[in-house]
Amino acid sequence: MRSYSGKIVVFTALPLEYRAVRALVPDPQRINHEAGTIFERGQIPGINWEVYLAQVGQGNQGAAILTERAIRMIGPDAVFFTGIAGSMKHDIALGDVVVATRVFAYHGGKQEGTFKTRPETWSASHRLEQAARFAVLDTHWTQSLLPAGREVPDVHFKPIAAGEVVVNVQTSALHELLDEHYNGVAAIETEGAGFAGAASMADQVPALVIRGISDRADGSKQHTDNSGYQLIAADNAAALTIAVIKALAAPEPVEVELPPPRSGTAETSLIASALDGQQLTEPLPVAWRRNLLPPWSSEGATLEVHLFPEDGPRLPMRRMSQLKDDLVAMGRSEALFTATEEVSTLLEADFAAAYVRDSRQGRCVGLAITRSGQRSCWESLPRPGSLHMPVLDPEHTQNRVADLLRLLLRLYDVPLTRFAPALAIDPAEVLTVMSLDAARASNGAVLARNGRGGPAQIMPDEVWEATTISAAVSTMAEELTLRLMHHFRSPRDARQF
């Protein structure tokens, strides 16, 4: 698979297919794409994968467009298309499930004296196909995934054909074409080619099509639909899709073996002693948020996180224009921006940004990227309960720094680049330092730093491989937060944050 994200997207075409999958993903949360596409995100009990659901409607074109859109927005490790199909083989029963080892787009060709086929074809991801074969080794793989008493369907690993026509006739020119040139296909449907093609073009994202057999594509579709086989087939395909996801290796970060502590001065970085980063002779020239988007006069204390590349290529304006839209999509997918609020975008000569400023709610949040490759994000500190003052909670801050570092790493890929992290609270005059739980129960608080001083900043003075940051993001977030909290410790306060 590609670099770890821990995310999977499952696509369906029809409402009953979507409902079948949705029933197996508890409490999904709605996420809106800026173009209007609605996703739902949830967690399957017992596994670490984050699962996104999308309904694309019928047809290969729509499936291709929305697959590409989801891959850009979410950055998944794998994608699935699940739903119903018509059988092309007499030995495949209604309700059985076909895992597509290959998808044929059968409508391509050239008409001369005879029709000469020019099909496109996509093979299933080996990793996902192997997970599917492993999942069905257990004869009870449907347990907890299908209604009690439902018969376990047979699973077939065979090619399928995807075109633009719903086939429901026993004999036709199309049947003859399929029989002559695609005799090995087990099922026929109308979205798999668009889905598989888009996944293949999007950096070879692993993809798998799973179809439940609801009819025999022979003129009996109305009878089988009335007998409830659409619902049975959709349930069976959804159940196998979830079983395959469960059979995938868990998306765990790479373990980092920590070297023994190194000798050095008291100023030696805690990160360096743990993760072997490189100390720079002088900090890199970070562009702080106020240099990009100057704060408004009534803005509250805001946490900002930056990753500055040590030696990255200068981005062309064409790429910056694309990234401006990516920032909005990424911010919505990570719930940095809410589904309903309007996000402003900005493309300047040196940076692109997506942000929300709501003075009534005291909310300031955003994402930015500079042409030098610096990635930045920021969000207002919380104002819990009736305190009406920004609260800097060390534990909450550490968790948010970790989340925002992960987000920044996913903005775009720069091969073999090392990054220097930076952190700040700006403005830092009006806030209090306490736990959020205490703040919710409090009617008063002590002003941090006695209300004096400029921004609290952690300079980008150490560089790390992107893989190291990703693997040890919690440790790095803890170190950065400890350094930040030092700015808010009174000289008379002996406590160590």
Side-chain angles (χ1 to χ4, degrees), residues 288-305 335-338 341-344 353-368 376-383 390 396 400 404 424-427:
W288 299 103
R289 179 179 62 95
R290 64 169 51 242
N291 303 131
L292 302 175
L293 293 170
W296 75 80
S297 58
S298 61
E299 183 174 303
T302 300
L303 170 69
E304 56 186 271
V305 181
L336 191 68
F337 308 132
T338 69
E341 64 189 359
E342 182 177 350
V343 180
S344 300
Y355 60 95
V356 172
R357 282 179 165 176
D358 187 342
S359 57
R360 293 170 300 174
Q361 300 294 326
R363 175 169 163 76
C364 175
V365 59
L367 279 167
S376 305
C377 55
W378 58 88
E379 63 181 18
S380 303
L381 293 185
R383 302 185 183 208
H396 173 267
R400 291 306 297 154
L404 297 177
I425 299 289
D426 183 18

Side-chain angles (χ1 to χ4, degrees), residues 69 107 139 171 174 199 212 217 261 311 349 358 375 401 414 418 457:
R69 181 175 296 169
H107 268 125
T139 57
T171 58
L174 179 56
D311 185 23
D358 187 342
R375 313 160 186 216
V401 170
V414 180
R418 300 191 301 176
Q457 297 176 338

Side-chain angles (χ1 to χ4, degrees), residues 12-14 55-59 62-63 66 81 191:
T12 63
L14 303 176
Q55 185 180 177
V56 304
Q58 289 183 279
L66 295 183
F81 207 106
E191 294 83 31

Side-chain angles (χ1 to χ4, degrees), residues 54-74:
Q55 185 180 177
V56 304
Q58 289 183 279
N60 284 297
Q61 183 177 2
I65 292 171
L66 295 183
T67 298
E68 191 275 339
R69 181 175 296 169
I71 290 172
R72 285 188 60 198
M73 172 181 172
I74 297 167

Side-chain angles (χ1 to χ4, degrees), residues 245-312:
I245 295 172
K246 288 185 173 183
L248 288 171
E252 295 293 342
V254 177
E255 291 290 334
V256 176
E257 184 177 351
L258 302 182
R262 300 180 299 179
S263 59
T265 65
E267 292 76 26
T268 300
S269 162
L270 294 179
I271 298 181
S273 65
L275 298 177
D276 197 25
Q278 180 180 336
Q279 187 80 31
L280 299 173
T281 55
E282 61 181 33
L284 292 173
V286 64
W288 299 103
R289 179 179 62 95
R290 64 169 51 242
N291 303 131
L292 302 175
L293 293 170
W296 75 80
S297 58
S298 61
E299 183 174 303
T302 300
L303 170 69
E304 56 186 271
V305 181
H306 309 268
L307 282 178
F308 196 94
E310 180 189 27
D311 185 23

